[in-house]
Amino acid sequence: MPGAYLIFGPPGAGKGTQAPRLAERLAIPHISTGDILRANVKGGTPLGVEAKGYMDAGDLVPDELVVRMLGDRLAEPDAVTGFLLDGFPRNVAQADALDAMLAERGSPLDCVLVLDVSEEEVVKRISGRLTAQNGRVYHELYDPPQTPGVDDEEGLPLIRRPDDEPDVVRNRYRNVYLAQTLPVREHYSRAGVREVEIDGIGTTDEVAARIDAALPA
Ligand code: AMP
């Protein structure tokens, strides 16, 4: 039975790698607000133009913009019976907005999947992270592409996201994740939403195996 899932963790925890695999296995859409925002930046839409400065600095895009964008996405037909949210909610105000949207649909959040990794590990991972335009993520050391600098499947060039630069990573971790996003976990645990915590240290396949064991389809 599909359901409403949320994948939670600091930047660099592996959400962008694990979420598409999990969503495919559960046959629900993977909804990443970061991916939707990046597509808007790339397409030069008014939303993208407004969001770009915040994103490059590692700051949150204003709630009003992101909440509206997510509401539109959740209203699409493929999200009716379930979805896996990645990168939303990033603060308690967004969690409140999500709760209101889900209450209207009559289907509360079923599960929060927490990917657990330390700050030290996050900085190490992000500094080697390379991203293709299609959103696929590699790592120079841990998950290199077959040909350096080139995406395996579509041959697209790999780039370092501006928000993966070290100073920006520290801002994203301390001022954004610890200060604003971590309280979202508390928000859902207080609400009694099922939480599944996964050790995010290990290879992509090892972490995926832990997730599969904890969340059988
Ligand atoms: P991500 O790919 O999830 O790491 O998101 C990349 C960037 O997009 C973040 O650093 C924020 O600037 C922006 N962003 C993504 N999701 C949200 C959100 N729910 N609220 C505000 N900003 C967001």
Side-chain angles (χ1 to χ4, degrees):
M1 182 65 190
Y5 293 78
L6 168 61
I7 188 164
F8 184 90
K15 300 189 298 292
T17 306
Q18 297 296 339
R21 301 163 73 126
L22 175 63
E24 195 180 345
R25 192 168 59 79
L26 298 176
I28 51 180
H30 165 220
I31 300 181
S32 155
T33 45
D35 285 352
I36 302 174
L37 286 166
R38 278 185 290 278
N40 276 274
V41 170
K42 194 170 146 224
T45 67
L47 170 61
V49 170
E50 196 160 352
K52 186 176 188 317
Y54 298 100
M55 295 172 73
D56 286 351
D59 291 329
L60 293 184
V61 174
D63 292 343
E64 178 208 300
L65 297 177
V66 183
V67 166
R68 194 168 349 119
M69 180 183 92
L70 184 81
D72 291 346
R73 180 61 187 89
L74 290 183
E76 286 177 32
D78 67 336
V80 168
T81 55
F83 49 81
L84 173 60
L85 283 184
D86 166 6
F88 189 101
R90 283 288 229 280
N91 59 29
V92 171
Q94 293 184 8
D96 288 337
L98 176 65
D99 293 348
M101 285 183 228
L102 296 183
E104 210 165 286
R105 294 157 62 115
S107 56
L109 210 55
D110 290 300
C111 179
V112 175
L113 174 68
V114 176
L115 274 185
D116 201 18
V117 296
S118 65
E119 175 174 1
E120 197 189 340
E121 176 71 14
V122 158
V123 173
K124 207 163 72 185
R125 285 186 183 185
I126 293 189
S127 56
R129 188 152 87 171
L130 298 169
T131 308
Q133 258 174 14
N134 54 24
R136 208 167 290 119
V137 183
Y138 297 84
H139 192 283
E140 278 166 354
L141 302 175
Y142 307 141
D143 185 18
Q146 281 156 19
T147 309
V150 180
D151 169 56
D152 292 345
E153 282 172 42
E154 294 177 70
L156 299 167
L158 301 181
I159 51 138
R160 187 185 311 281
R161 282 165 38 180
D163 55 344
D164 284 345
E165 296 295 339
D167 284 352
V168 179
V169 171
R170 266 184 289 277
N171 177 40
R172 292 170 70 198
Y173 191 86
R174 298 207 176 137
N175 304 328
V176 179
Y177 175 71
L178 290 184
Q180 301 183 55
T181 308
L182 202 50
V184 168
R185 182 175 177 185
E186 178 63 27
H187 171 93
Y188 285 117
S189 88
R190 252 202 320 266
V193 177
R194 177 182 173 214
E195 180 180 288
V196 171
E197 188 171 356
I198 301 288
D199 176 5
I201 304 290
T203 64
T204 301
D205 287 343
E206 283 164 355
V207 177
R210 285 176 206 141
I211 294 175
D212 293 354
L215 291 176

